[in-house]
């Protein structure tokens, strides 16, 4: 059954991949790319300024043009939108002409939870991008996948929670997906994941970057077994690698090319690392701008503008990541040698087991009162969660208990976590909010 489902899926998606391949195969000059993107944005801007309340008001207040003549005019007149803006104006930033089909919910690497409404039609652009990129590694939609991933569905409760778990298992079975829990980074759990990898014999692996690094370290003695799997690629996502030699270690242990998928929950995939090592931006669907920052010499903070229909249009949206080149330069060719992103961290439990920071993100992401959170670990090993709530006060006890109950499913020790409401969270000297703070 799995092979039939896989072939049907490949048959359905192959035309979209072929269309993407043909589009990018043209010899585009940087100027032609910018002109094409401007036309694509202006086509979206017509409905955005008319239908989306926030931008309709902004157009009146700032006398924004019906069509932008250049990207320089766009940058001069259009303000940057950050996560705080999204939290404050979420309803006004969505297109009310069609009801949303689902919510994009993320804590993101800045630990500021955001809920963004979305249409199901947006998924086709995401699928087109990441399957196009995976095709560079001869990966098809029919291939079997091993996921080292967070299991946010385990936090559901009642009938709905049970049903989500059942659906997840059935979908994975039909698609040929095998999952290992990336929240638990203990040696025992990672050794079990290594055994499952050998047993299931997938075509490729995808997981959180830090979790893949830990998986490779713990299973280095199984190098020969992993090599015999002849994996097409190991794809890292959700965060930067924790060490400079992480990719080299993973490549050596698994015997396969290592690629980084870059994007956010709000955007979907924005870029992907190609076999030559460079990141190729999906510029057909996203316009990337950059502004030099004093956070890191030679780095540019990036703003993202979506170029396709979205329930929640992204216009100069600050995602909080940096890149080493100026994407607004005239000769920018939509490739990057690297992404200067931010790496997630983990907490270490009393017995030495490690818990990935994504576990905390998935636990609190649908608690609407929490605007931002941070987990502190002291030298003595004590773990505390600090959060900023909408009303600047402590959560109701039942909601704190709900968070602790969810955390206990990751590890029983986390059920005792202390939770504290604060006015603001600790920040780095660069003004960033880390998810994990070691005191």
């Amino acid at each position: 059954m799995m092979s039939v489902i896989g072939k049907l899926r490949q048959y359905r998606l192959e035309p979209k991949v072929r269309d993407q391949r043909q589009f990018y195969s043209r010899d585009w000059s940087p100027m032609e790319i910018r002109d094409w993107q401007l036309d694509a944005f202006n086509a979206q801007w017509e409905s955005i300024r008319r239908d989306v309340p926030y931008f309709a008001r902004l157009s009146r207040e700032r006398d924004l043009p019906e069509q932008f003549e250049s990207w320089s005019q766009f940058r001069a007149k259009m303000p940057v939108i950050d996560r705080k803006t999204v939290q404050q104006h979420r309803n006004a930033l969505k297109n009310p002409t069609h009801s949303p089909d689902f919510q994009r919910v993320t804590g993101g690497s800045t630990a500021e939870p955001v809920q963004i409404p979305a249409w199901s039609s947006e998924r086709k652009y995401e699928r087109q991008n990441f399957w196009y990129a995976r095709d560079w590694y001869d990966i098809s939609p029919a291939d079997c996948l091993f996921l080292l991933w967070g299991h946010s569905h385990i936090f559901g409760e009642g009938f709905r929670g049970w049903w989500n778990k059942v659906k997840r298992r059935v979908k994975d079975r039909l698609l040929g997906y095998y999952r290992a829990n990336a929240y638990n980074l203990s040696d025992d759990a990672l050794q079990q994941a290594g055994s499952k990898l050998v047993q299931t014999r997938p075509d490729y692996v995808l997981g959180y970057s830090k979790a893949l690094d830990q998986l490779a370290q713990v299973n280095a003695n199984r190098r020969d077994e992993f090599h015999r799997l002849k994996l097409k690629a190991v794809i890292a996502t959700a965060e930067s690698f924790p060490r400079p030699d992480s990719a080299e270690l993973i490549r050596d242990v698994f015997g396969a090319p290592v690629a980084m998928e870059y994007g956010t929950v709000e955007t979907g995939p924005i870029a992907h690392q190609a076999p030559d090592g460079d990141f190729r931006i999906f510029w057909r669907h996203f316009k990337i701008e950059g502004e030099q920052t004093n956070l890191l010499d030679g780095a540019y903070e990036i703003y993202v503008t979506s170029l396709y229909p979205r329930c929640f249009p992204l216009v100069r949206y600050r995602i909080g990541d940096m890149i080493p080149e100026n994407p607004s330069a005239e000769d920018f060719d939509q490739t990057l040698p690297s992404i200067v992103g931010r790496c997630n961290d983990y907490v270490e439990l009393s017995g030495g087991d490690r818990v990935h920071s994504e576990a905390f993100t998935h636990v609190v992401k649908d608690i609407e009162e929490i605007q931002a959170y941070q987990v502190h670990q002291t030298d003595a090993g004590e773990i505390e969660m600090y959060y900023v709530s909408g009303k600047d006060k402590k959560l109701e006890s039942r909601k704190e208990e709900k968070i602790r109950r969810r955390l206990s499913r990751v590890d029983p020790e986390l059920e005792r976590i202390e939770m504290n409401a604060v006015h603001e969270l600790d920040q780095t000297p660069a003004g960033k909010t880390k998810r994990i703070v070691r005191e």
Side-chain angles (χ1 to χ4, degrees):
M1 177 180 285
M2 285 171 52
S3 61
V4 173
I5 294 294
K7 288 178 180 178
L8 288 174
R9 192 164 178 244
Q10 183 172 1
Y11 177 79
R12 180 171 58 88
L13 291 172
E14 176 54 33
K16 295 178 173 55
V17 174
R18 185 167 56 249
D19 174 70
Q20 198 81 321
R21 194 186 303 126
Q22 290 172 349
F23 177 86
Y24 285 112
S25 65
R26 175 181 161 183
D27 186 20
W28 297 87
S29 71
M31 180 180 293
E32 288 175 326
I33 291 173
R34 290 195 300 272
D35 290 345
W36 188 96
Q37 290 181 312
L38 186 63
D39 289 342
F41 174 74
N42 278 329
Q44 298 303 315
W45 176 239
E46 182 177 353
S47 63
I48 291 172
R49 68 188 297 272
R50 180 188 65 234
D51 299 327
V52 180
Y54 181 89
F55 290 106
R57 176 181 59 79
L58 199 67
S59 294
R60 293 191 300 270
E61 293 176 353
R62 294 199 170 212
D63 191 27
L64 298 179
E66 294 184 8
Q67 297 279 276
F68 287 92
E69 296 177 358
S70 66
W71 285 116
S72 59
Q73 182 192 39
F74 172 79
R75 289 191 294 271
K77 287 183 170 289
M78 188 70 72
V80 172
I81 292 176
D82 56 19
R83 290 192 171 196
K84 185 169 292 186
T85 306
V86 171
Q87 289 176 332
Q88 294 173 346
H89 304 282
R90 189 166 72 97
N91 289 331
L93 278 162
K94 70 179 180 181
N95 189 323
T97 58
H98 302 289
S99 299
D101 298 309
F102 67 97
Q103 299 286 328
R104 299 178 185 273
V105 186
T106 176
S109 50
T110 56
E112 295 172 349
V114 169
Q115 295 188 37
I116 290 181
W119 295 325
S120 295
S121 57
E122 298 169 27
R123 295 292 198 196
K124 67 181 181 182
Y125 300 97
E126 298 174 17
R127 287 192 292 265
Q128 187 177 34
N129 285 330
F130 66 67
W131 285 117
Y132 163 65
R134 292 176 190 180
D135 183 61
W136 303 337
Y137 297 90
D138 196 32
I139 296 171
S140 80
D143 285 337
C144 293
L145 166 64
F146 185 90
L147 273 166
L148 186 56
W149 206 251
H151 293 60
S152 60
H153 57 279
I154 70 173
F155 301 125
E157 299 178 343
F159 175 79
R160 185 174 182 179
W162 171 83
W163 180 239
N164 285 338
K165 294 171 190 175
V166 170
K167 285 196 301 182
R168 184 70 273 162
R169 285 196 296 268
V170 171
K171 286 182 179 179
D172 285 351
R173 188 78 175 267
L174 292 174
L175 294 172
Y177 288 3
Y178 305 95
R179 288 177 184 261
N181 190 347
Y183 294 153
N184 187 347
L185 299 181
S186 66
D187 287 357
D188 285 346
L190 291 172
Q191 286 168 359
Q192 291 176 21
S195 297
K196 190 172 183 179
L197 176 66
V198 173
Q199 176 188 352
T200 55
R201 302 191 64 81
D203 296 295
Y204 67 111
V205 175
L206 187 148
Y208 297 149
S209 303
K210 180 178 285 294
L212 289 172
D213 174 87
Q214 295 287 320
L215 180 67
Q217 290 189 57
V218 171
N219 290 277
N221 62 323
R222 310 184 79 159
R223 179 178 179 275
D224 291 342
E225 289 182 90
F226 289 168
H227 279 232
R228 285 195 290 270
L229 296 174
K230 299 187 183 302
L231 296 169
K232 294 182 178 181
V234 177
I235 301 174
T237 188
E239 57 192 342
S240 301
F241 282 125
R243 301 175 298 109
D245 63 345
S246 292
E248 182 179 346
L249 171 69
I250 295 169
R251 188 181 300 110
D252 178 67
V253 172
F254 289 93
V258 177
M260 180 79 71
E261 179 186 87
Y262 174 65
T264 69
V265 173
E266 304 100 296
T267 61
I270 298 173
H272 202 288
Q273 197 170 19
D276 63 8
D278 284 344
F279 285 83
R280 299 180 187 175
I281 297 170
F282 302 124
W283 58 263
R284 186 182 191 179
H285 295 144
F286 294 103
K287 169 66 178 177
I288 306 297
E289 302 172 67
E291 186 173 287
Q292 198 153 27
T293 172
N294 58 6
L295 305 181
L296 187 66
D297 288 343
Y300 291 79
E301 186 173 11
I302 57 175
Y303 311 138
V304 177
T305 297
S306 55
L307 304 178
Y308 61 95
R310 289 176 55 109
C311 178
F312 198 100
L314 300 178
V315 182
R316 304 204 79 200
Y317 179 62
R318 174 186 278 130
I319 59 177
D321 284 337
M322 296 176 289
I323 59 177
E325 294 182 10
N326 181 7
S328 300
E330 290 188 2
D331 60 349
F332 183 65
D333 64 357
Q334 305 297 319
T335 64
L336 293 164
S338 65
I339 305 291
V340 188
R342 293 157 301 188
C343 184
N344 296 341
D345 210 344
Y346 57 83
V347 297
E348 190 165 323
L349 304 180
S350 58
D353 289 348
R354 298 176 292 269
V355 175
H356 199 285
S357 59
E358 282 295 303
F360 297 94
T361 297
H362 288 170
V363 163
V364 306
K365 68 181 182 180
D366 64 345
I367 308 296
E368 293 186 358
E369 292 86 347
I370 294 183
Q371 294 183 344
Y373 78 92
Q374 193 170 66
V375 178
H376 287 227
Q377 182 161 37
T378 67
D379 287 340
E382 296 177 356
I383 302 171
E384 301 178 350
M385 178 181 287
Y386 293 84
Y387 62 86
V388 178
S389 70
K391 296 181 180 179
D392 201 20
K393 64 179 183 181
K394 195 171 179 64
L395 288 174
E396 296 177 10
S397 58
R398 64 182 180 85
K399 293 203 172 182
E400 286 199 356
E401 290 171 4
K402 182 178 183 179
I403 292 173
R404 291 193 181 96
R405 188 166 61 249
R406 288 176 167 182
L407 286 171
S408 71
R409 297 174 191 169
V410 178
D411 191 281
E413 183 176 330
L414 293 175
E415 189 174 17
R416 303 190 300 272
I417 192 171
E418 183 176 340
M419 301 184 65
N420 305 283
V422 295
H423 179 66
E424 59 184 15
L425 300 172
D426 289 350
Q427 293 185 321
T428 67
K432 298 297 181 181
T433 304
K434 297 178 64 177
R435 276 203 278 205
I436 306 295
V437 174
R438 302 189 186 280
E439 299 176 355

